[in-house]
Every structure is written in C-alpha cells, then in structure tokens.
Amino acid sequence: MKIGVDYYPEQIDSRMWKSDAEEMAKIGVKAVRLGVSAWDAFEPRESEFYMKWFDEIVELFAHYKIEIIMCIPIDKPPTWFFEKYPESIRTSASWRRNRNGKHDHVCISSADYRRYALRLTENLIRRYGKNSYISAWQVMNTPEAYACCCENCAEGFRKWLMNKYENIEAVNSVFVGNAISGRYSEIKEIHPPAFYRRAWRNPAHTLEFLRFESESASEFLREITMTIKRECPSAKVTSNLDLDSDYPDIYKLYDFMDFASCKNYPSARTDSEGNAENSNAFRLDLMRGAKQKNFYVMEEISGAEDIMSPSLKPGMLQGYSLQAFAHGADTVIHSRWRSSCFGEDMFRQGIIDHDNIKGRRFNEFTELCQTASKLSAVTGTSIESEVAIMYSYDSDKAFEIQPPSENFSYMGQLRSFHNAFSHFGANVDVVSSKADLSRYKVVIVPSLYVHDNKASESIYRYVINGGTLIMTGRSGVKDEYNNCTSSVLPSAYRELIGADVTDYDAVGNDTATIKDFSGKTYECSQWCDILTLTTAKTYAEYDDGFNRCCPAVTMNRYCGGVAYYVGTVCEKSFYEDLVGNVMMQTGIPKLKDLPDGVEVTTRTNGRDEYIFFFNNSGRYVTIPLPKAMFSMIESKGKSELELRPFAMDIVRK
C-alpha cells in the first residue's frame, strides 16, 4: 500500500527540489510521478534533447529511496511542434482546428505526431530504462477516443472500414440498407459523422466511427508500449485514464499493458446535512475490472480542483485515498505536491499551497502516509467477488448516440445495482462483455443494447449452469452494427427471460408505480417495458396508468439457473430489496443495518481477510461488529467501530 505524489520539477525552482524530496521521505511518501507535462522541457527545440536537469531529479529521489513512476508526456507536444505541423491539431465538427495552449489538443492519427512521440519515447527509455528506481512507465496522460474530424482521421476511418468490410457494398448494407437515399458509391464519400447535425447522424455510421477512434488510440499506445518493452522487457507499463473524457474501450486499451491506472476525483460537494454528494466506489471497481486485478490511482484529489470548486472537507483527503485501497488500488498518487503558480491549473490545489505553508491538507496527507505504513499486512491482497456487473462499451456509446428517453442513463443503471450490493457489504466486479462469468453467483447485465455474440453465448451458458442473472430493459434492441433488430424484444434473450416486450413507454422524467409480489410499491421512471409472460412469473407489476397490472419485473427459471428481467428504472429502495432477496437465495453473505453512506469491501490473500469500513458521509457513525476484531488502523481489538465523517477503519476477520 503506497502513497505518492505528482511532482513537476520543471515548474519549481530547482533550489526547492532537495528540501521537497527530503520532506516527502520524512513523512512517508513512497512514490513520485514525474514527467507528466514535460515534453517541451525534454525537447525545448526540435531535435535538441535536454535531460541533464531530469537526471538530477531522478538521482535525488533515488537517494531518498522514493520510487519513480516515469511518464511519457506525449499527450502535450510543444508549441514548436504545432507551429511546424498545424495539421496535427484536432479538428472539430465545424472543421475548426483547436488552437495551441489547451490540454489534449493533438490528433493521434497524425503521422507526424506519431513519429515525434515515438522518438521522444525512445530517448526516454534508452536513458532511464535501466534505472532500478523507476518502478513503472505511464504512456500518455488521459488517452481519449476523441471524435476528431481532420482529414487524417477521415482517411484513417475509410481505411479501417475497408479492412473490416472489404468493399463499399458491404459498408452500405451495414450503414444504410435502402434508407433515405444514403448509399455510397465510393469509399471517399464517407466522412466522420460528427460533421452532421446530431439528429441526422446515422447510428451505425456513428458507432463505427467511435469504434475506429477507440481502436486508433489503443493501437497507438500499443506501439508506444512495445517501443518501451523492446528496450526494457521488464518495464511495467500503464496509462492514466480519465472516465470523464472520451475514453477508449478500457478492456482493449489495457489488454497489452501490465496494469490499469486512473484519475480519481470524488466530488467534494456535500448536501445540506453534510453527506457526500456521491461515491466513486463504482468507478474504482470499473477500473479494477479493466484487467480484473489490482490497479493504480495515478491522480488522487488533493484539494479544490479549480477556482470554482469547493474545498475538501476534513477527512476527505485521507478517506478517499483509503477508499481507493478498499476497492483494489495498490498505489495512490496525489495529484500534485505543490499548487502551481502558473497556467490553467494554478488553482488546482496541491498538498502544499502557493504560500508554502504546511496547512490542513498537508497535515491530513501526513496522517494518510502514516496510516498506509500500518497496512503492510494488506499488501499482496486482492478482491474476490461473488457478484459481477457487465459493462458494454458498445452499448454505452450507442446510448450516447441515441438516448431512449429524457435523462436515461446507462451508467446510472450499473451504479444502481452496484450501490445496492454495496449497501449489504458485497464485493462487486465490473467486467467486460467478454468476461468469464462462471465464478460468480450473481451477474447483472443492464441494458445490453448492442448485440454481442460472445456475450450472448456466455450469458446463456452461465444461466444454464446454474447462475442467477438480472437483465434490464432495452436489452437486445440493436444488432452488432447498431441497427434495430426485427425480432420481438428482448430479441436473443427472449427464451432466457421467458417474456416478450409487447410495448414500451419512454416516460422520461414522468413517474409511474410498480408493486412487487409482497405488495410493496416503488416509484419508477425513464423507461417502462410492457411485458407478456411466456414461461416467466411476475415479480412486480405496474400499479397505475394504461399498463396497470402488466408485468414490469419478471423471474424465469431456465435450465439450472434463474433469470430476472427489470423492465423499468426504479428508485433506490427497489434495487436494495431485489438485491437483498437475490443474495439470500444465492447464499451471498449480507451485512444488515449498515448506516447510510457506509461502504464495506473485503480484500484477501487467500488466508486472511481484511474488511474495510468507509464512512462516506458527514455524520459520526457507530458500527457493531459480530465479534471482536483487530483494527489495523488503531492496532487494537474492537467490538464496534466509531467512524468520524469520511473516516475508514480496517479490521482483520
């Protein structure tokens, strides 16, 4: 369990380097991330590489035995590069190139950009690849599958289509069929769909373009990774993902890397009672699922994100780092040691602010480093889950292209189930549509909108062999190309679900009511499937409107397993009640009476189990334990836990 910081020596007076490194070592910083934005410092003029200054900083941290995460800063080329190659700047849908001075403004399809990025990578790996204090290499910061409309991307998209479909007739059959005189006679007639008004964009065309941009990003980073591996085969390589940007398919991106990494900026906002606005637990589990193993947080929130952001409340800086450990992070790097006095990030707070005074955040960070030092026994542990939620990148993007109703949220459905299982202390994996499901007792498949043959076969095999499945509405609607199927919904899953969708109502922000088998009622919204049973039984039915008494949620026994279908989007209590019933039926242990806002996860080494209790709320809470357990934080036995706001305790089971 390591705590580290981002450090930007190129932005700091070199006379402060030694005292900073000495202070980090003193308080227990174990890792430092360097080089994030330093391309112009490494290569201030074309082909003039200047790295002696960096040799000094690497030697300094090695002296203090602080390991280094070395960044290849290829996402931010220098100004001189864009002056020479302006066609390498991203192009918007209105055919306007972004101007220099903005983060992430380069087009990764540019051959000139790729050539220079590879050259920088080669220089860095040859110079520092054998340094034993460099523990990992980060290639690119926040890679994106940005919908660039430059001619590089347009031509790349055309080549990608021809490689996939071989001829224009096959492309036409997928894109347009015989619709709206939209057929293409030559491949050169096809352009990035972002040129068109949103309502005019062809869903099949648009999804294929997003797939192309995602694969282009992954293919480029594969090339960078292989460049590092050729020079230094033992190098550990990752990339830092931002789940708020146009990120590529995470499962393809990390397939060829050693581990996954991400930004982690939980909201510092609280409600009127001081409770956290939301939790980042789902995102952390999503990142762990990228390779289905432990990961790094490469940027952890250290304070206000910018001038308009609220300050971190006491306990948040430490609590959110420990929350990341609870969900499978092995290393957490805080976003910066010092607040910058320059540039667009000058109001993104570091551990030490502009005035160089060691204030509240520094003191809390010091306490965090001390806490992490007590967790050596947890090092090498991982998370084992009996529950999985399937995430489909294609379905996620298809819903972005064509939202089915006002405020419909694909990710919101994944979060609803994740929150419900977390409410009872269950570990949850978030896995790809290609994942092996056989080791899970319960699998949730929300809105599998775009058909995936491998996923379909895996889902059927899972239920046939005794698994418990929960699917939700808008499943089986599209074929693999994002065109509507002509089958009765839920299409490929009709037999499994044991019910047909005979009508539906895109209710959006309007609300309806459902009543379950016990007579309990819940509010629902966004979408209402009207179901006709074939072999299934009704779990809940609509209790008002024109579809009153029609099934809304069903349960079907299929071969050795059970398949539930939730045809609407419900309030929080419904998911907790449904999940509670399913956990009881499948024998998954369930913690009862956890206070609202308390999150529980378990890490294990196969012999010992370590249970993390995180109070993600603004209230003091008391949690009784079933028996006395040893607290890793306070180094003593406890029969109950008392947690202040945003605090964590870890007990050995």
Side-chain angles (χ1 to χ4, degrees), residues 1 71 128 146 176 319 383 388 406 422 440 613 629:
M1 299 294 187
C71 299
Y128 302 110
Y146 178 83
V176 293
I383 291 179
E406 190 174 10
S422 298
Y440 299 106
F613 291 85
M629 295 183 181

Side-chain angles (χ1 to χ4, degrees), residues 115-261:
R115 186 172 72 255
Y116 278 78
L118 282 166
R119 189 179 67 171
L120 176 66
T121 302
E122 289 166 352
N123 274 275
L124 290 172
I125 188 63
R126 287 170 183 167
R127 194 175 186 97
Y128 302 110
K130 292 182 173 57
N131 189 299
S132 61
Y133 276 91
I134 294 179
S135 61
W137 292 75
Q138 178 194 296
V139 295
M140 187 173 277
N141 202 40
T142 64
E144 289 186 293
Y146 178 83
C148 177
C149 293
C150 73
E151 189 51 41
N152 290 322
C153 287
E155 186 56 32
F157 181 44
R158 295 173 192 125
K159 290 179 180 177
W160 184 86
L161 287 172
M162 292 307 285
N163 285 336
K164 183 172 183 177
Y165 295 105
E166 297 185 352
N167 56 64
I168 194 65
E169 289 76 17
V171 174
N172 276 321
S173 69
V174 168
F175 278 15
V176 293
N178 293 311
I180 324 175
S181 298
R183 299 183 68 81
Y184 300 100
S185 57
E186 297 182 69
I187 193 67
K188 68 180 181 180
E189 296 171 359
I190 297 179
H191 298 281
F195 279 127
Y196 315 128
R197 287 172 54 188
R198 187 178 187 92
W200 292 354
R201 293 179 194 172
N202 182 312
H205 183 179
T206 304
L207 182 58
E208 288 291 62
F209 183 67
L210 294 178
R211 285 168 169 162
F212 157 72
E213 290 286 10
S214 174
E215 290 185 19
S216 294
S218 296
E219 177 269 325
F220 170 57
L221 291 191
R222 179 188 290 272
E223 189 175 4
I224 296 292
T225 298
M226 293 304 106
T227 299
I228 293 171
K229 294 283 192 180
R230 279 194 297 271
E231 191 70 27
C232 187
S234 63
K236 303 299 182 185
V237 181
T238 188
S239 186
N240 181 31
L241 201 68
D242 183 356
L243 291 171
D244 285 324
S245 66
D246 301 300
Y247 55 90
D249 185 329
I250 62 173
Y251 305 105
K252 292 181 179 178
L253 176 70
Y254 288 115
D255 180 57
F256 51 87
M257 296 185 184
D258 295 286
F259 60 95
S261 301

Side-chain angles (χ1 to χ4, degrees), residues 243 250 260-266 279-291 293-300 319-329 331-332 383 415 418 428-430 599 601 614 616 648:
L243 291 171
I250 62 173
S261 301
C262 67
K263 290 186 174 184
N264 188 41
Y265 288 90
S279 172
N280 260 24
F282 168 76
R283 287 183 171 213
L284 295 167
D285 285 344
L286 178 63
M287 287 310 304
R288 191 182 72 252
K291 288 187 75 69
K293 67 179 186 180
N294 293 359
F295 63 101
Y296 279 26
V297 172
M298 282 297 186
E299 282 187 58
E300 175 71 29
Y320 287 141
S321 296
L322 296 175
Q323 181 194 37
F325 285 144
H327 289 271
T331 296
V332 174
I383 291 179
R415 283 179 179 274
H418 185 276
V428 181
D429 288 348
V430 183
E599 301 173 6
T601 50
F614 176 49
N616 194 19
M648 176 175 282

